Amino acid sequence: MDTGTTGAAPPRVRLGRYGEEVAARYLREQGLEVVERNWRCEHGEVDIVARQGGCLVVCEVKTRRGTGFGEPVEAVTVTKAMRLRRLAVAYVRAHDLHPEQLRVDVIGVLCRPGQPVTLRHVVGVGS
């Protein structure tokens, strides 16, 4: 796995950045426009904000090296999904946007050593 990053970031941080790069590339390949990454406010952080037509998509990316604790997307609990929904609304308000639709997605990126990276995209969590 080449993360494309240098420096002294801990392996977990490098893995997370790599997963976000993979997810952003995937979203672009699916025809979405990535409009912002790592947006922060007092309520938390949004990994990726994208647009698909009139729909604003707030994306949480979970990256793992294995499935010892389940698939990466399983790390997003109902509570986390509700928090992501609140973050999505905060993003819309902070940017004075009026999207036709607002959606929260989760992308799980699995980076098993010696195997190709796999990705799972769950559309519309917490709706």
Side-chain angles (χ1 to χ4, degrees):
M1 170 184 74
D2 177 13
T3 63
T5 60
T6 59
R12 183 172 178 213
V13 171
R14 288 194 311 266
L15 179 66
R17 286 181 189 156
Y18 176 74
E20 288 177 13
E21 285 295 325
V22 168
R25 185 172 56 240
Y26 163 80
L27 289 170
R28 287 186 198 101
E29 289 170 356
Q30 299 304 306
L32 282 78
E33 174 192 2
V34 175
V35 295
E36 191 159 354
R37 294 188 44 193
N38 303 112
W39 180 77
R40 289 183 171 94
C41 71
E42 65 274 9
H43 304 295
E45 179 181 353
V46 173
D47 294 328
I48 298 173
V49 180
R51 189 177 308 274
Q52 186 175 35
C55 182
L56 190 70
V57 182
V58 169
C59 227
E60 175 75 1
V61 180
K62 291 294 184 187
T63 308
R64 300 287 186 268
R65 292 189 188 278
T67 57
F69 296 101
E71 292 290 325
V73 295
E74 293 173 359
V76 177
T77 63
V78 171
T79 302
K80 174 77 172 184
M82 289 179 358
R83 187 175 73 75
L84 290 167
R85 188 79 180 159
R86 286 192 299 274
L87 278 167
V89 170
Y91 183 88
V92 166
R93 288 183 179 153
H95 293 82
D96 194 28
L97 300 175
H98 304 281
E100 295 171 21
Q101 184 182 6
L102 181 59
R103 189 175 85 209
V104 176
D105 291 2
V106 176
I107 295 181
V109 180
L110 190 55
C111 302
R112 294 181 180 177
Q115 296 183 22
V117 173
T118 59
L119 185 141
R120 181 173 169 207
H121 183 187
V122 180
V123 176
V125 301
S127 301

